[in-house]
Amino acid sequence: MKELPASHAYRLLEPGPIVLVTTSEDGRPNVMTMGFHMVVQHDPALIGCIIGPWDYSYGALRSTGECVIAIPTVDLARTVVDIGNCSGDEFDKFEKFSLTPRPAKGGAPPLIEECLANLECKVADTRMVDAYNLFILGVERVWIDPDRKERRTLHHRGDGSFVVDGEVIDHSDRMVKWRDLPR
Amino acid sequence: MKELPASHAYRLLEPGPIVLVTTSEDGRPNVMTMGFHMVVQHDPALIGCIIGPWDYSYGALRSTGECVIAIPTVDLARTVVDIGNCSGDEFDKFEKFSLTPRPAKGGAPPLIEECLANLECKVADTRMVDAYNLFILGVERVWIDPDRKERRTLHHRGDGSFVVDGEVIDHSDRMVKWRDLPR
């Protein structure tokens, strides 16, 4: 995996891919599927996301304050759904779904080898957790697999169906107001 | 436009499409482009989004507490970029971009006739606005154009380029844990 500046996070998350989230508590890693997330700020990179008490990962996230957001591609579509339909309470999901945990640089939750990108995050603000289960995460490090051929991400339509990345339209020359964004 | 239950909002916004946001202040409508948003809750439908003082719409949103989130499709890609690169302070953007404002049912900000869907929203919580420009919006009504042929939305890659909706993968039969979501 190649490291990118943390301020690159918005380039990966603004398009709204479904993601996996890893946590680790007492030496035991877990992974969940997440679709309710957004970029909050470009640089320093902040992410907002919803993880609730109905998610087994919620306890680990609250107690450890760290997670990894991993971005899967189309080859993992079925796995992404199945991860979201069972609980880490019952299974070692890394083992069950043949995912390879890879040590992160700055925290216990592992990166996922099979994903296109991995973002090491720390909880930055929990003031909206009680009201909305809304965590503000600070992105510490961004890793991307530069050699991966399959790079098409998945956009969850809320019901277990996904729209897959199609063609790219480039109007970057018209972004005259935003020339100073981190590249 | 056909009305859908407000609880259908997550089906439209979870996939992460770039959106337009309309506001109206003192009888003057305006429109901006937005990519930092997420679903917060299925039902009652809540949306989180980032709109900052650098957006001319910020003032109208704070003072009126209402907006419409409109979902454009691929035919509007260039317009979506251009709307995000000029200010409502200088132009009547509906006129400049030949958009047709259509009266909403419950508020002053107009729907956009040329969009696939329009969500009438009211600001539900401003506690995170000072810290992160993060508004929590309640979705009051959802409108969709059932007759529209072009339905492919755009996912902003942060730099003025977009990935367009491609093929659909359906694993809805595997959503065993989420059978009670609002359809």
Side-chain angles (χ1 to χ4, degrees):
Chain A
M1 298 251 179
K2 181 188 162 199
E3 186 163 7
L4 297 175
S7 61
H8 196 100
Y10 79 100
R11 302 284 305 275
L12 295 163
L13 290 182
E14 188 181 337
I18 191 89
V19 298
L20 301 175
V21 181
T22 79
T23 49
S24 181
E25 196 172 19
D26 303 327
R28 189 167 172 274
N30 187 29
V31 55
M32 63 172 277
T33 301
M34 179 170 79
F36 290 8
H37 55 274
M38 67 175 168
V39 183
V40 167
Q41 184 178 288
H42 288 99
D43 189 16
L46 294 177
I47 306 301
C49 69
I50 308 294
I51 294 177
W54 53 85
D55 299 309
Y56 182 66
S57 307
Y58 176 86
L61 186 63
R62 289 219 75 162
S63 67
T64 69
E66 51 183 26
C67 66
V68 166
I69 296 180
I71 305 182
T73 49
V74 60
D75 46 300
L76 287 177
R78 188 172 143 167
T79 301
V80 162
V81 176
D82 290 349
I83 287 173
N85 281 277
C86 67
S87 174
D89 180 358
E90 301 163 69
F91 303 105
D92 174 339
K93 294 209 230 175
F94 275 87
E95 193 179 291
K96 185 175 169 72
F97 297 108
S98 303
L99 297 174
T100 313
R102 188 167 158 161
K105 195 166 176 185
L111 315 183
I112 301 177
E113 176 86 32
E114 288 76 13
C115 285
L116 169 65
N118 283 273
L119 289 70
E120 298 183 28
C121 299
K122 290 211 191 298
V123 172
D125 196 324
T126 58
R127 279 178 289 175
M128 292 297 261
V129 172
D130 286 344
Y132 302 110
N133 305 297
L134 194 167
F135 290 84
I136 302 287
L137 306 176
V139 181
E140 307 260 307
R141 271 174 210 87
V142 174
W143 303 97
I144 196 154
D145 184 347
D147 302 322
R148 204 166 206 293
K149 290 222 173 78
E150 182 57 80
R151 306 183 84 81
R152 290 176 300 158
T153 64
L154 297 158
H155 304 268
H156 190 216
R157 307 200 302 171
D159 62 350
S161 77
F162 301 89
V163 61
V164 181
D165 284 352
E167 62 174 312
V168 170
I169 293 181
D170 188 353
H171 284 311
S172 54
D173 59 319
R174 307 181 75 84
M175 289 287 275
V176 292
K177 205 174 154 183
W178 305 96
R179 292 278 179 237
D180 58 343
L181 289 185
R183 295 298 172 114
Chain B
M1 299 250 179
K2 181 187 162 201
E3 186 163 8
L4 297 175
S7 62
H8 196 100
Y10 79 101
R11 302 284 305 275
L12 295 163
L13 291 182
E14 189 181 336
I18 191 91
V19 297
L20 300 174
V21 181
T22 80
T23 49
S24 182
E25 197 172 17
D26 303 328
R28 187 168 173 274
N30 187 30
V31 57
M32 64 172 275
T33 301
M34 180 169 77
F36 290 8
H37 55 275
M38 67 174 168
V39 183
V40 167
Q41 183 178 288
H42 289 99
D43 188 18
L46 294 177
I47 305 302
C49 68
I50 309 294
I51 293 177
W54 53 86
D55 299 310
Y56 183 64
S57 306
Y58 176 86
L61 186 61
R62 288 219 77 161
S63 67
T64 68
E66 51 184 26
C67 66
V68 166
I69 296 181
I71 304 182
T73 49
V74 59
D75 46 298
L76 286 177
R78 186 171 144 165
T79 301
V80 162
V81 176
D82 290 349
I83 287 172
N85 282 277
C86 68
S87 175
D89 180 0
E90 301 163 71
F91 303 105
D92 175 338
K93 294 208 228 177
F94 275 88
E95 193 179 290
K96 184 175 169 73
F97 297 107
S98 303
L99 297 173
T100 313
R102 188 166 158 163
K105 195 167 175 186
L111 314 183
I112 302 177
E113 176 85 33
E114 287 77 12
C115 285
L116 168 64
N118 283 271
L119 289 70
E120 298 183 26
C121 299
K122 290 211 191 299
V123 173
D125 196 325
T126 58
R127 279 178 289 174
M128 292 296 262
V129 172
D130 286 343
Y132 302 110
N133 304 298
L134 193 168
F135 290 84
I136 302 286
L137 307 176
V139 181
E140 308 259 309
R141 270 174 211 90
V142 175
W143 303 96
I144 197 155
D145 183 347
D147 302 322
R148 202 165 207 293
K149 289 222 175 76
E150 182 57 79
R151 306 182 85 82
R152 291 176 299 158
T153 65
L154 297 158
H155 305 268
H156 189 215
R157 307 200 304 171
D159 62 349
S161 77
F162 300 89
V163 60
V164 181
D165 284 352
E167 60 173 313
V168 170
I169 293 181
D170 188 353
H171 284 310
S172 53
D173 59 320
R174 307 181 75 83
M175 289 286 275
V176 292
K177 205 174 155 183
W178 305 97
R179 293 276 180 240
D180 57 343
L181 289 184
R183 296 297 171 113

